[in-house]
Structures are given as C-alpha cells and as structure tokens.
Amino acid sequence: MSHRFRHLLAIEPLSREQIVFLLDQAKPFQEFQRYPLKKLATLRGKTIALTFFENSTRTRISFATAASRLGADQMNLQAEASSVKKGESLSDTVRTLEAMRPDAIVIRHSSSGAAEFVSRRVDVPVINAGDGTHEHPTQALLDALTIRDRRGHLDGIRITMIGDILHSRVARSNIHLLSKFGAHMTLCGPAMWLPRELASLAPNIRCVPCIEEALDGADAIMALRIQQERMHEPSISAEDYILQYQLTPSRVKLARRNAIVLHPGPMIRGLEIDPAVADSPQSCILEQVTNGLAIRMAILFELVAGSADPQDHAKDSSHAAD
C-alpha cells in the first residue's frame, strides 16, 4: 500500500501502517538533533507558510525550526496582525497566501475542521497544527514516538489521560492513534470534562472519575492542560483540582514501576502536575519537545520533498559536521 500523503489533517483516517511509516521517517531526524551542525539543504528553495489564526508558542516555534533545519524559507501569518482582523474570510486569506506560491501551508485555527476546509481550497499540502477541539495530529505523532522510544512499542499499552479531556484535541488525536495499536485507554477528570460519549471514540476506553483507580497499572500517564479559553461550563476550583486530580509523586506510584509521564504543554506546575513529577526521571516532557522537531521535519520532508530518503540527508549532514 502507498504511504504517501497529500495533506496531514487528522490521525483518525490514517492506517496503522501509515502511522508507523511516519514514526520511522522521524528516526533519522531524531539523530540529526544531536549533530553540531543542524542545517540541511533538503528543502532549499522551498517555502513553508505558517498560518496561525490562534495563539501558539511551542507549536509555531517547532514548525518554524523544523522548516529552518530543512533549509526552507518561511512565510508567517499571525491573525492579530493580519487582514483577518479587518474582516477578510479564511478562504480569501489562504488563497491570497497561496498566490505567493508556498510549497506547503501549516495552519492552526480555533475552529474544528478549519484545516480540512483550507485543504479543499488550495493546491498545496496542508498540515493541521491544531483545529478547535478536533485534532492535533503532529502532537499525537510526537507523543507516540516518545512512548515507542521509552516503552519499545505501542502495542497494547495501558495509558491514562488526566484532566480536561472534553476540550483536548491532543487527547482525541492520541485516542485515535493509540487505538490502532490496541491500547487500553483510561480517561480521568472532573465529571464536566469527562462526558461518557468519549468512551465511544474508540475501543478499549473507560472513563474513571477517581484518579487513584485510573492510574492503577498504567504504563504511561498523560496530564493534560486545563483549557480555560474553551470553557463554557462551570469549572472546578484550583484547590479542588489539586486535591482530586493533580499528578503527584504518590499518585504516580500507583502506576507501573517504570511508567512514563507525558504532558503536551504548556504545563501549569503546581496545578496539573507536581514539579517533582515534571522533573522526575519518569518524565518525558522535554523529550516530547525534541521529538516534536523530528516529527515535524519528517512530515515537511514527506509532503514537500517527496520520495527522497531522509536517512541520506541526515548522513550528508553528519559528514558535513565532521
């Protein structure tokens, strides 16, 4: 079967084989991050349009750095300083950008489905950098790469996700991805952020309101950001959240002895996660950031460079560094 992609809009429609292909494509770019010279010419002469209609720090920087390390130029659009603020439609904005001939468009938008909407209106590859509460596919891929590196595989792992599941596109993309590997997923959080319908997203999901029960036997634990900006329902006080759901050292001990801890960031220390957990040897949070670069380089490489071999380019850089 073909692993080639035209766009990367979501994890849900991807096959297990396509996901493994993308994770494998990221391996040489993981090695590349360790080289003293971190610049390839793979996408020299290409231009990546970074269109962020929603605030972002780490995802924007990660994509910009990935494009730069592949040698690509960038076009940057920030909604606060764009014609969107003057009333221009999303369709007209991206078609105007396309007229400047970028080779790919990376888009983040507060509306679910925005990336697919754009992909139907332009003739260049579109990468979803997060759309509303729908999906965040590159985050799920970098999470999967991190779990696979630490655990050795993804098949049948037991993962517990804690916190604001309802508003989390990260959780949805991870659920779609890990379900293709037979993962057992436990979702835990306050009742208003844990509707029972979430259990129907994929097989092997259970919703558990008690964090102590949710963590029992977990191979991996993912704390999620509390997304105040998306909330329309009554929230929970910080004091109650800390008491009932903060990931603390004593609670981590309820999981398997070598369980790993993930957080997509930005994390709120002292609320979602105890600093002692965030900085523990079990924490993979900074590895996730580094792996985000490798995954985004692999995706840009795949969508823009075509059929070249990423291993060859990494070797070329290694020789240059020597």
Side-chain angles (χ1 to χ4, degrees):
M1 83 178 274
S2 172
H3 297 303
R4 298 300 174 196
F5 301 82
R6 170 64 170 161
H7 309 287
L8 180 64
L9 304 177
I11 293 294
E12 186 176 11
L14 299 186
S15 68
R16 173 192 170 109
E17 289 74 20
Q18 288 173 315
I19 291 167
V20 170
F21 172 75
L22 285 176
L23 298 181
D24 290 344
Q25 288 287 85
K27 295 302 291 182
F29 294 119
Q30 280 183 300
E31 291 296 318
F32 174 72
Q33 308 306 320
R34 303 186 180 96
Y35 295 160
L37 297 180
K38 297 180 179 60
K39 191 80 169 182
L40 296 170
T42 309
L43 297 187
R44 184 168 57 193
K46 304 291 187 180
T47 302
I48 310 300
L50 303 177
T51 62
F52 280 67
F53 295 89
E54 186 181 60
N55 290 335
S56 168
T57 300
R58 66 189 59 223
T59 302
R60 168 188 279 276
I61 291 174
S62 184
F63 268 110
T65 304
S68 176
R69 290 186 177 177
L70 288 168
D73 297 318
Q74 299 161 40
M75 297 162 50
N76 280 283
L77 179 145
Q78 288 182 290
E80 289 301 313
S82 76
S83 295
V84 174
K85 297 296 287 183
K86 302 173 185 174
E88 187 176 60
S89 70
L90 174 60
S91 178
D92 284 337
T93 299
V94 296
R95 291 184 70 186
T96 298
L97 286 173
E98 186 193 25
M100 299 179 197
R101 301 291 185 260
D103 296 284
I105 293 176
V106 177
I107 180 170
R108 167 171 285 202
H109 201 284
S110 60
S111 296
S112 300
E116 183 179 2
F117 175 88
V118 169
S119 73
R120 287 189 266 109
R121 284 161 176 78
V122 299
D123 288 327
V124 297
V126 174
I127 301 168
N128 182 5
D131 60 332
T133 59
H134 175 225
E135 281 222 34
H136 195 344
T138 59
Q139 179 68 45
L141 287 165
L142 75 87
D143 291 340
L145 184 62
T146 305
I147 295 170
R148 193 176 75 168
D149 284 351
R150 282 282 192 120
R151 306 294 308 183
H153 63 88
L154 295 172
D155 293 299
I157 68 156
R158 306 179 72 86
I159 184 168
T160 297
M161 302 183 200
I162 302 165
D164 183 3
I165 311 287
L166 176 65
H167 303 99
S168 178
R169 55 198 176 202
V170 172
R172 280 171 178 73
S173 284
N174 269 290
I175 288 169
H176 290 309
L177 190 154
L178 294 170
S179 69
K180 300 173 195 293
F181 294 84
H184 297 268
M185 294 167 280
T186 301
L187 310 180
C188 177
M192 66 280 194
W193 299 341
L194 197 64
R196 294 289 168 179
E197 306 88 82
L198 287 170
S200 65
L201 283 177
N204 300 326
I205 296 179
R206 62 180 188 137
C207 296
V208 176
C210 173
I211 189 170
E212 284 77 13
E213 179 184 350
L215 288 170
D216 184 27
D219 298 305
I221 308 164
M222 180 178 291
L224 295 168
R225 185 173 74 84
I226 299 173
Q227 302 188 46
Q228 295 284 357
E229 72 276 15
R230 300 189 195 282
M231 291 180 183
H232 304 290
E233 66 279 355
S235 188
I236 181 173
S237 71
E239 292 77 12
D240 284 346
Y241 191 87
I242 291 168
L243 183 65
Q244 298 179 56
Y245 297 106
Q246 185 186 85
L247 194 56
T248 63
S250 60
R251 285 173 170 160
V252 170
K253 288 179 181 175
L254 299 172
R256 292 192 174 177
R257 189 165 60 86
N258 59 348
I260 60 173
V261 174
L262 304 105
H263 193 302
M267 63 177 167
I268 305 176
R269 287 172 180 259
L271 176 60
E272 300 154 355
I273 188 168
D274 188 301
V277 175
D279 299 327
S280 71
Q282 291 171 270
S283 171
C284 304
I285 295 169
L286 294 180
E287 289 170 44
Q288 289 174 270
V289 177
T290 304
N291 285 338
L293 274 176
I295 280 290
R296 286 161 183 140
M297 289 179 74
I299 291 165
L300 290 173
F301 179 89
E302 179 62 23
L303 294 184
V304 179
S307 59
D309 186 343
Q311 193 78 42
D312 292 341
H313 290 277
K315 287 177 180 175
D316 290 345
S317 174
S318 176
H319 294 155
D322 292 340

